[in-house]
Amino acid sequence: MAQLIVIGGGITGVTSAYALSRQGHEVTLIEQHRYAGMETSHANGGQLSASNAETWTHPSTLLKGIKWMLKADAPLLVNPKPSWHKLSWFAEFAASIPKYRDNTIATARLAIAAREHLFGWAETEGIEFDLKKQGILHIYRDKAGFDHAAQVSKLLAEGGLHRRAVTPEEMRAIEPTLAGQYYGGFYTESDSTGDIHKFTYGLSQACERRGVRLLTGRAVSRVQTTGNTARVTLADGEVVTADAVVVCAGVHSRAIGAQLGDRLNVYPVKGYSITVMLNDEQSQAAAPQVSLLDDETKLVTSRLGADRFRVAGTAEFNGFNRDIRADRIKPLVDWVNQCFPGVSTRRVEPWAGLRPMMPDMMPRVGPGGRPNVFYNTGHGHLGWTLSAITAHQLAGHVAQWDRLRTAGASARPALA
């Protein structure tokens, strides 16, 4: 077995460390924050959603981006100020549009496969994370949105996911608290929700119990490799060495990959969420139990225990800006007031996080250019949904490399 360094203590880093430790490797996990799951894995929409596997590389996305560019509260907002990173990312995004169908089907398959691992690990380690297995209801206000969803359902079915069309009456039977007029919806009974931070932190504790060395509150300043030995220099000057390094650093993966000679065109796409505190019995009764996805506003919801209601979404292309903007939070609060008028929004916690997104919307999992460098990053809006299966895939790549290394062979494992 090998000595491995995993960089990043978000959901992909922690699941990677866990999967590798289960193989018997000696793992060191490095995280810049004091606890695991404090950045993008802290307060997302909470959905484990194979039904949201549709990639964004559809021609309509570009049209909407142009249409909404100067609208501050738009679901998709692009800062018009140019940068080479942004321009190159959008160029590759446009080039990936022909792969929309195949990548959507592939993502659905990954999302379904991830469930077995994630639920199994949670049960094995006794992790409580407000898991709710009551499905996800996609809601549509007009025929055009509903018809597009019907086409997406055909692609999801090819990936192995069943979801069914429902009438407005059936929608209200599924979630009686939902207010408003709708054309129809699609319901995926097999999807679920939960608290990503609770899961990530709980799994990090399980990693420690399994012997993983956690270096938290430690920022990485430099990463190097000879091809046989990986060397990570921390901001305080400490140097950590191992046989190989695994980069799971989210939006920071691009810069770290560049140090290792690899190009990963990960762009930080900001998303926002609010956590509505259900402090009274009326709000608890008026908040939904079933998770929702509003396709028009690009918002998702999850019920986290008895007293929290999470609403999240939107996409903002604005570089590494982490500001929580009032004009981006207000539409989320307004949406709750409109769709669930019985819920009090007197106490709302806003949050923003940066999704690590590749232009083709597919995560990068597998070896880099050097023999002892691996990546598990770039999951975009489905980081939690896909994390368990990509960690499992990563462990397979590392196992193949370790067998060749142990045997003294010079052959390289195949790219993912």
Side-chain angles (χ1 to χ4, degrees), residues 171-218:
M171 290 170 60
R172 290 187 174 83
I174 293 169
E175 183 44 69
T177 64
L178 178 63
Q181 300 298 315
Y182 302 94
Y183 182 87
F186 282 86
Y187 183 47
T188 310
E189 294 171 287
S190 59
D191 275 342
S192 55
T193 59
D195 188 320
I196 186 175
H197 175 71
K198 283 187 176 182
F199 179 86
T200 305
Y201 180 71
L203 195 65
S204 74
Q205 292 181 304
C207 285
E208 279 196 294
R209 293 194 296 268
R210 298 187 65 87
V212 173
R213 180 189 179 203
L214 260 63
L215 297 181
T216 56
R218 312 291 292 279

Short mmCIF file of all heavy atoms in Angstrom, two decimals, residues 171-218:
data_model
loop_
_atom_site.label_atom_id
_atom_site.label_comp_id
_atom_site.label_asym_id
_atom_site.label_seq_id
_atom_site.Cartn_x
_atom_site.Cartn_y
_atom_site.Cartn_z
N MET A 171 -49.10 17.17 -8.16
CA MET A 171 -48.04 17.93 -7.49
C MET A 171 -48.46 18.35 -6.09
O MET A 171 -47.69 18.23 -5.13
CB MET A 171 -47.69 19.18 -8.32
CG MET A 171 -46.99 18.89 -9.63
SD MET A 171 -46.86 20.36 -10.68
CE MET A 171 -45.94 21.48 -9.65
N ARG A 172 -49.70 18.80 -5.95
CA ARG A 172 -50.18 19.24 -4.64
C ARG A 172 -50.41 18.07 -3.69
O ARG A 172 -50.32 18.23 -2.48
CB ARG A 172 -51.44 20.08 -4.80
CG ARG A 172 -51.14 21.44 -5.43
CD ARG A 172 -52.34 22.37 -5.47
NE ARG A 172 -51.91 23.69 -5.95
CZ ARG A 172 -51.78 24.02 -7.23
NH1 ARG A 172 -52.05 23.12 -8.17
NH2 ARG A 172 -51.37 25.23 -7.58
N ALA A 173 -50.70 16.91 -4.26
CA ALA A 173 -50.81 15.71 -3.41
C ALA A 173 -49.43 15.30 -2.91
O ALA A 173 -49.29 14.85 -1.76
CB ALA A 173 -51.45 14.58 -4.21
N ILE A 174 -48.41 15.46 -3.76
CA ILE A 174 -47.04 15.12 -3.36
C ILE A 174 -46.53 16.11 -2.33
O ILE A 174 -45.91 15.73 -1.34
CB ILE A 174 -46.12 15.10 -4.60
CG1 ILE A 174 -46.51 13.93 -5.52
CG2 ILE A 174 -44.65 14.99 -4.19
CD1 ILE A 174 -45.86 13.98 -6.89
N GLU A 175 -46.77 17.42 -2.57
CA GLU A 175 -46.33 18.45 -1.63
C GLU A 175 -47.46 19.47 -1.42
O GLU A 175 -47.57 20.46 -2.14
CB GLU A 175 -45.07 19.16 -2.14
CG GLU A 175 -44.52 20.19 -1.18
CD GLU A 175 -44.51 19.68 0.27
OE1 GLU A 175 -43.70 18.78 0.58
OE2 GLU A 175 -45.32 20.19 1.06
N PRO A 176 -48.31 19.23 -0.42
CA PRO A 176 -49.50 20.07 -0.20
C PRO A 176 -49.20 21.51 0.17
O PRO A 176 -50.07 22.38 0.00
CB PRO A 176 -50.21 19.35 0.96
CG PRO A 176 -49.67 17.96 0.96
CD PRO A 176 -48.27 18.07 0.49
N THR A 177 -48.02 21.81 0.66
CA THR A 177 -47.74 23.18 1.11
C THR A 177 -47.39 24.13 -0.04
O THR A 177 -47.34 25.34 0.16
CB THR A 177 -46.58 23.19 2.12
OG1 THR A 177 -45.38 22.75 1.47
CG2 THR A 177 -46.87 22.28 3.31
N LEU A 178 -47.13 23.60 -1.23
CA LEU A 178 -46.69 24.42 -2.36
C LEU A 178 -47.82 25.30 -2.88
O LEU A 178 -48.88 24.80 -3.28
CB LEU A 178 -46.17 23.52 -3.49
CG LEU A 178 -45.72 24.22 -4.77
CD1 LEU A 178 -44.52 25.14 -4.51
CD2 LEU A 178 -45.37 23.18 -5.85
N ALA A 179 -47.59 26.61 -2.91
CA ALA A 179 -48.58 27.57 -3.41
C ALA A 179 -48.23 28.00 -4.83
O ALA A 179 -47.09 27.88 -5.26
CB ALA A 179 -48.65 28.79 -2.49
N GLY A 180 -49.22 28.51 -5.57
CA GLY A 180 -48.97 29.01 -6.91
C GLY A 180 -49.62 28.16 -7.97
O GLY A 180 -50.16 27.08 -7.70
N GLN A 181 -49.55 28.66 -9.23
CA GLN A 181 -50.13 27.97 -10.37
C GLN A 181 -49.02 27.36 -11.22
O GLN A 181 -48.04 28.04 -11.54
CB GLN A 181 -50.96 28.95 -11.22
CG GLN A 181 -52.11 29.59 -10.46
CD GLN A 181 -53.13 28.56 -9.98
OE1 GLN A 181 -53.52 27.67 -10.75
NE2 GLN A 181 -53.56 28.68 -8.73
N TYR A 182 -49.21 26.10 -11.61
CA TYR A 182 -48.16 25.39 -12.35
C TYR A 182 -48.77 24.63 -13.53
O TYR A 182 -49.92 24.17 -13.47
CB TYR A 182 -47.41 24.43 -11.43
CG TYR A 182 -46.78 25.15 -10.26
CD1 TYR A 182 -47.46 25.26 -9.04
CD2 TYR A 182 -45.55 25.78 -10.39
CE1 TYR A 182 -46.91 25.96 -7.98
CE2 TYR A 182 -44.99 26.49 -9.33
CZ TYR A 182 -45.68 26.57 -8.13
OH TYR A 182 -45.13 27.28 -7.08
N TYR A 183 -47.97 24.48 -14.57
CA TYR A 183 -48.41 23.72 -15.73
C TYR A 183 -48.32 22.22 -15.46
O TYR A 183 -49.17 21.44 -15.89
CB TYR A 183 -47.54 24.08 -16.94
CG TYR A 183 -47.95 23.38 -18.21
CD1 TYR A 183 -48.93 23.91 -19.04
CD2 TYR A 183 -47.37 22.16 -18.58
CE1 TYR A 183 -49.33 23.27 -20.20
CE2 TYR A 183 -47.76 21.50 -19.73
CZ TYR A 183 -48.73 22.06 -20.55
OH TYR A 183 -49.12 21.41 -21.69
N GLY A 184 -47.27 21.82 -14.74
CA GLY A 184 -47.06 20.41 -14.42
C GLY A 184 -45.70 20.21 -13.81
O GLY A 184 -44.98 21.17 -13.51
N GLY A 185 -45.34 18.96 -13.60
CA GLY A 185 -44.05 18.67 -12.98
C GLY A 185 -43.55 17.29 -13.31
O GLY A 185 -44.21 16.51 -14.03
N PHE A 186 -42.37 16.99 -12.80
CA PHE A 186 -41.79 15.64 -12.91
C PHE A 186 -41.30 15.25 -11.52
O PHE A 186 -40.65 16.05 -10.83
CB PHE A 186 -40.65 15.60 -13.91
CG PHE A 186 -41.10 15.57 -15.35
CD1 PHE A 186 -41.38 16.74 -16.03
CD2 PHE A 186 -41.28 14.35 -15.99
CE1 PHE A 186 -41.82 16.71 -17.34
CE2 PHE A 186 -41.73 14.31 -17.30
CZ PHE A 186 -42.00 15.50 -17.98
N TYR A 187 -41.62 14.02 -11.12
CA TYR A 187 -41.31 13.55 -9.77
C TYR A 187 -40.37 12.36 -9.84
O TYR A 187 -40.64 11.39 -10.55
CB TYR A 187 -42.60 13.18 -9.04
CG TYR A 187 -42.40 12.74 -7.60
CD1 TYR A 187 -41.61 13.48 -6.73
CD2 TYR A 187 -43.04 11.60 -7.11
CE1 TYR A 187 -41.45 13.09 -5.41
CE2 TYR A 187 -42.90 11.21 -5.80
CZ TYR A 187 -42.09 11.96 -4.94
OH TYR A 187 -41.94 11.56 -3.64
N THR A 188 -39.25 12.46 -9.11
CA THR A 188 -38.26 11.38 -9.03
C THR A 188 -38.27 10.84 -7.61
O THR A 188 -37.67 11.42 -6.70
CB THR A 188 -36.86 11.88 -9.40
OG1 THR A 188 -36.92 12.60 -10.64
CG2 THR A 188 -35.89 10.71 -9.53
N GLU A 189 -38.94 9.72 -7.41
CA GLU A 189 -39.10 9.17 -6.06
C GLU A 189 -37.80 8.66 -5.46
O GLU A 189 -37.64 8.61 -4.24
CB GLU A 189 -40.14 8.06 -6.09
CG GLU A 189 -41.54 8.55 -6.42
CD GLU A 189 -42.53 7.41 -6.65
OE1 GLU A 189 -42.45 6.76 -7.70
OE2 GLU A 189 -43.39 7.21 -5.77
N SER A 190 -36.83 8.28 -6.31
CA SER A 190 -35.60 7.67 -5.81
C SER A 190 -34.56 8.69 -5.33
O SER A 190 -33.55 8.30 -4.74
CB SER A 190 -34.98 6.79 -6.90
OG SER A 190 -34.68 7.55 -8.06
N ASP A 191 -34.78 9.97 -5.59
CA ASP A 191 -33.84 10.99 -5.14
C ASP A 191 -34.05 11.32 -3.66
O ASP A 191 -35.08 10.96 -3.07
CB ASP A 191 -33.99 12.26 -5.98
CG ASP A 191 -33.17 12.21 -7.27
OD1 ASP A 191 -32.25 11.38 -7.35
OD2 ASP A 191 -33.45 12.99 -8.19
N SER A 192 -33.09 12.04 -3.08
CA SER A 192 -33.16 12.33 -1.65
C SER A 192 -32.43 13.63 -1.34
O SER A 192 -31.86 14.28 -2.23
CB SER A 192 -32.56 11.17 -0.85
OG SER A 192 -31.24 10.89 -1.30
N THR A 193 -32.44 14.01 -0.07
CA THR A 193 -31.78 15.23 0.39
C THR A 193 -31.12 15.00 1.73
O THR A 193 -31.39 14.01 2.43
CB THR A 193 -32.78 16.40 0.54
OG1 THR A 193 -33.80 16.02 1.48
CG2 THR A 193 -33.42 16.77 -0.79
N GLY A 194 -30.26 15.95 2.12
CA GLY A 194 -29.60 15.89 3.40
C GLY A 194 -28.67 17.08 3.57
O GLY A 194 -28.55 17.92 2.70
N ASP A 195 -28.01 17.13 4.71
CA ASP A 195 -27.10 18.22 5.04
C ASP A 195 -25.69 17.83 4.65
O ASP A 195 -25.07 16.97 5.29
CB ASP A 195 -27.18 18.51 6.54
CG ASP A 195 -26.41 19.75 6.95
OD1 ASP A 195 -25.30 19.96 6.41
OD2 ASP A 195 -26.90 20.51 7.81
N ILE A 196 -25.15 18.46 3.60
CA ILE A 196 -23.84 18.10 3.08
C ILE A 196 -22.74 18.37 4.11
O ILE A 196 -21.77 17.60 4.20
CB ILE A 196 -23.54 18.83 1.75
CG1 ILE A 196 -22.22 18.35 1.15
CG2 ILE A 196 -23.54 20.34 1.96
CD1 ILE A 196 -21.92 18.92 -0.22
N HIS A 197 -22.85 19.45 4.88
CA HIS A 197 -21.80 19.74 5.85
C HIS A 197 -21.77 18.69 6.95
O HIS A 197 -20.69 18.23 7.34
CB HIS A 197 -22.00 21.12 6.47
CG HIS A 197 -21.01 21.42 7.56
ND1 HIS A 197 -19.68 21.65 7.30
CD2 HIS A 197 -21.14 21.48 8.91
CE1 HIS A 197 -19.03 21.85 8.43
NE2 HIS A 197 -19.90 21.75 9.42
N LYS A 198 -22.94 18.31 7.45
CA LYS A 198 -22.97 17.26 8.47
C LYS A 198 -22.35 15.97 7.95
O LYS A 198 -21.60 15.30 8.66
CB LYS A 198 -24.42 17.00 8.92
CG LYS A 198 -25.00 18.04 9.86
CD LYS A 198 -26.36 17.57 10.36
CE LYS A 198 -26.95 18.50 11.38
NZ LYS A 198 -28.25 18.02 11.91
N PHE A 199 -22.67 15.62 6.70
CA PHE A 199 -22.12 14.39 6.13
C PHE A 199 -20.61 14.49 5.97
O PHE A 199 -19.87 13.57 6.35
CB PHE A 199 -22.77 14.08 4.79
CG PHE A 199 -22.24 12.84 4.14
CD1 PHE A 199 -22.79 11.60 4.45
CD2 PHE A 199 -21.18 12.89 3.25
CE1 PHE A 199 -22.29 10.44 3.87
CE2 PHE A 199 -20.67 11.73 2.67
CZ PHE A 199 -21.23 10.51 2.98
N THR A 200 -20.14 15.61 5.41
CA THR A 200 -18.70 15.77 5.16
C THR A 200 -17.91 15.75 6.45
O THR A 200 -16.89 15.06 6.57
CB THR A 200 -18.44 17.08 4.40
OG1 THR A 200 -19.23 17.10 3.21
CG2 THR A 200 -16.97 17.20 4.01
N TYR A 201 -18.39 16.50 7.43
CA TYR A 201 -17.68 16.53 8.72
C TYR A 201 -17.72 15.17 9.40
O TYR A 201 -16.72 14.68 9.94
CB TYR A 201 -18.28 17.60 9.63
CG TYR A 201 -17.60 17.67 10.97
CD1 TYR A 201 -16.30 18.17 11.08
CD2 TYR A 201 -18.23 17.20 12.12
CE1 TYR A 201 -15.66 18.22 12.30
CE2 TYR A 201 -17.59 17.26 13.36
CZ TYR A 201 -16.30 17.76 13.44
OH TYR A 201 -15.66 17.79 14.65
N GLY A 202 -18.90 14.52 9.36
CA GLY A 202 -19.01 13.19 9.96
C GLY A 202 -18.10 12.18 9.30
O GLY A 202 -17.47 11.34 9.98
N LEU A 203 -17.98 12.24 7.97
CA LEU A 203 -17.09 11.30 7.28
C LEU A 203 -15.62 11.63 7.56
O LEU A 203 -14.78 10.73 7.60
CB LEU A 203 -17.37 11.32 5.77
CG LEU A 203 -16.78 10.15 4.98
CD1 LEU A 203 -17.43 8.82 5.41
CD2 LEU A 203 -16.97 10.34 3.48
N SER A 204 -15.31 12.90 7.78
CA SER A 204 -13.92 13.25 8.14
C SER A 204 -13.55 12.65 9.49
O SER A 204 -12.41 12.20 9.69
CB SER A 204 -13.73 14.77 8.16
OG SER A 204 -14.34 15.38 9.29
N GLN A 205 -14.52 12.62 10.41
CA GLN A 205 -14.26 11.97 11.70
C GLN A 205 -14.08 10.47 11.53
O GLN A 205 -13.24 9.85 12.19
CB GLN A 205 -15.42 12.26 12.66
CG GLN A 205 -15.52 13.72 13.08
CD GLN A 205 -16.66 13.96 14.04
OE1 GLN A 205 -17.81 13.64 13.75
NE2 GLN A 205 -16.36 14.51 15.20
N ALA A 206 -14.87 9.89 10.63
CA ALA A 206 -14.71 8.46 10.33
C ALA A 206 -13.34 8.20 9.72
O ALA A 206 -12.70 7.17 10.00
CB ALA A 206 -15.81 8.00 9.38
N CYS A 207 -12.85 9.12 8.88
CA CYS A 207 -11.51 8.98 8.32
C CYS A 207 -10.46 8.92 9.43
O CYS A 207 -9.54 8.08 9.39
CB CYS A 207 -11.21 10.15 7.38
SG CYS A 207 -12.01 10.09 5.77
N GLU A 208 -10.59 9.82 10.40
CA GLU A 208 -9.64 9.82 11.52
C GLU A 208 -9.68 8.50 12.27
O GLU A 208 -8.64 7.96 12.65
CB GLU A 208 -9.95 10.97 12.47
CG GLU A 208 -9.40 12.31 12.02
CD GLU A 208 -9.37 13.32 13.15
OE1 GLU A 208 -10.46 13.70 13.61
OE2 GLU A 208 -8.26 13.73 13.55
N ARG A 209 -10.88 7.98 12.48
CA ARG A 209 -11.00 6.70 13.18
C ARG A 209 -10.32 5.57 12.38
O ARG A 209 -9.85 4.60 12.97
CB ARG A 209 -12.47 6.35 13.42
CG ARG A 209 -13.18 7.28 14.40
CD ARG A 209 -14.51 6.70 14.85
NE ARG A 209 -15.47 6.56 13.76
CZ ARG A 209 -16.36 7.48 13.42
NH1 ARG A 209 -16.38 8.64 14.06
NH2 ARG A 209 -17.22 7.27 12.43
N ARG A 210 -10.28 5.73 11.07
CA ARG A 210 -9.65 4.72 10.22
C ARG A 210 -8.15 4.95 10.05
O ARG A 210 -7.49 4.23 9.32
CB ARG A 210 -10.32 4.71 8.85
CG ARG A 210 -11.79 4.33 8.86
CD ARG A 210 -12.33 4.17 7.44
NE ARG A 210 -11.68 3.03 6.78
CZ ARG A 210 -12.09 1.77 6.86
NH1 ARG A 210 -13.17 1.47 7.58
NH2 ARG A 210 -11.44 0.82 6.26
N GLY A 211 -7.62 5.97 10.73
CA GLY A 211 -6.18 6.20 10.70
C GLY A 211 -5.71 7.29 9.75
O GLY A 211 -4.50 7.52 9.62
N VAL A 212 -6.64 7.98 9.08
CA VAL A 212 -6.24 9.09 8.22
C VAL A 212 -5.70 10.23 9.08
O VAL A 212 -6.30 10.59 10.10
CB VAL A 212 -7.43 9.58 7.37
CG1 VAL A 212 -7.06 10.84 6.59
CG2 VAL A 212 -7.89 8.48 6.41
N ARG A 213 -4.59 10.80 8.65
CA ARG A 213 -4.00 11.95 9.34
C ARG A 213 -4.63 13.21 8.78
O ARG A 213 -4.48 13.51 7.60
CB ARG A 213 -2.49 11.96 9.14
CG ARG A 213 -1.77 13.12 9.82
CD ARG A 213 -0.32 13.16 9.38
NE ARG A 213 0.41 14.25 9.98
CZ ARG A 213 1.51 14.80 9.48
NH1 ARG A 213 2.02 14.31 8.34
NH2 ARG A 213 2.13 15.79 10.09
N LEU A 214 -5.35 13.96 9.63
CA LEU A 214 -6.00 15.19 9.21
C LEU A 214 -5.16 16.39 9.62
O LEU A 214 -4.89 16.60 10.80
CB LEU A 214 -7.40 15.30 9.83
CG LEU A 214 -8.59 14.92 8.95
CD1 LEU A 214 -8.50 13.45 8.58
CD2 LEU A 214 -9.89 15.23 9.63
N LEU A 215 -4.74 17.16 8.61
CA LEU A 215 -4.05 18.41 8.87
C LEU A 215 -5.02 19.53 8.52
O LEU A 215 -5.11 19.96 7.37
CB LEU A 215 -2.77 18.51 8.02
CG LEU A 215 -1.69 17.46 8.28
CD1 LEU A 215 -0.48 17.70 7.39
CD2 LEU A 215 -1.27 17.46 9.75
N THR A 216 -5.76 20.01 9.50
CA THR A 216 -6.75 21.06 9.26
C THR A 216 -6.18 22.41 9.68
O THR A 216 -5.26 22.48 10.51
CB THR A 216 -8.05 20.77 10.02
OG1 THR A 216 -7.75 20.62 11.42
CG2 THR A 216 -8.71 19.51 9.50
N GLY A 217 -6.75 23.47 9.09
CA GLY A 217 -6.22 24.80 9.36
C GLY A 217 -4.85 25.00 8.76
O GLY A 217 -4.07 25.83 9.24
N ARG A 218 -4.54 24.26 7.70
CA ARG A 218 -3.20 24.30 7.10
C ARG A 218 -3.33 24.55 5.60
O ARG A 218 -3.82 23.70 4.85
CB ARG A 218 -2.47 22.97 7.33
CG ARG A 218 -2.50 22.45 8.76
CD ARG A 218 -1.69 23.31 9.69
NE ARG A 218 -0.28 23.23 9.41
CZ ARG A 218 0.52 22.24 9.84
NH1 ARG A 218 0.00 21.22 10.54
NH2 ARG A 218 1.81 22.26 9.57
#
